Amino acid sequence: MKPIGVAFVGCGEIAQFHAQALLKTGSAQVVAVMDRQPEKAQAISKSYGARAYRELDLLLNDPDVEAVYILTRHDSHAVYIRKAMAANKHVFCEKPMALTLEDALEVLKVAQSSGRFLMVGFNHRWNPAFRWVL
């Protein structure tokens, strides 16, 4: 089975964790990356043999990109999710998916009409310390 082509939008520290986890699955491959700071995108691209992009639209037009990981500042999540879904990409987004209820509802509407998967990462959901707080 061919690995799914994944792109990272945002190449900060969290991107390394996601890349390492994806590689362990054997079913995904980092094929493209983008960051506001080109040197960060270049570093990740060299580590994983991915293409580095400077613009989101170019990354989303890459035919090898099937899914997009949004690993950017919180205020960009909703916009990037909508763009990725409009480009027919599956999306994993770090929390939160939006900063307002209005934006969250719009993101859900776009996701439901896209026929693609949207997953929001709540990485500590099962962490005992967080479960204790709840």
Side-chain angles (χ1 to χ4, degrees):
M1 183 165 112
K2 178 184 168 262
I4 186 169
V6 175
F8 290 160
V9 177
C11 296
E13 188 176 326
I14 194 71
Q16 289 287 354
F17 292 109
H18 285 289
Q20 291 169 14
L22 283 172
L23 292 177
K24 288 179 185 175
T25 70
S27 61
Q29 175 183 359
V30 181
V31 297
V33 297
M34 187 202 95
D35 195 279
R36 294 181 311 143
Q37 298 176 25
E39 62 278 2
K40 285 186 176 183
Q42 287 297 328
I44 294 279
S45 72
K46 287 179 184 173
S47 295
Y48 298 100
R51 290 176 290 287
Y53 289 97
R54 290 181 181 242
E55 296 179 31
L56 180 63
D57 292 337
L58 295 175
L59 179 141
L60 294 176
N61 284 323
D62 185 327
D64 293 332
V65 174
E66 300 171 77
V68 177
Y69 272 53
I70 299 173
L71 310 170
T72 58
R73 295 183 339 232
H74 298 158
D75 62 344
S76 65
H77 290 180
V79 171
Y80 288 171
I81 291 170
R82 287 194 293 264
K83 286 186 175 194
M85 293 248 152
N88 291 315
K89 310 298 181 184
H90 301 290
V91 174
F92 172 90
C93 183
E94 280 291 343
K95 64 187 179 325
M97 73 176 176
L99 297 181
T100 67
L101 177 59
E102 181 179 272
D103 279 347
L105 293 172
E106 180 62 28
V107 165
L108 290 175
K109 183 177 172 184
V110 169
Q112 289 169 344
S113 66
S114 74
R116 299 289 181 227
F117 293 105
L118 168 63
M119 180 179 176
V120 179
F122 290 97
N123 306 352
H124 298 291
R125 180 179 292 159
W126 305 114
N127 181 306
F130 284 87
R131 302 247 335 134
W132 178 81
V133 170
L134 297 175

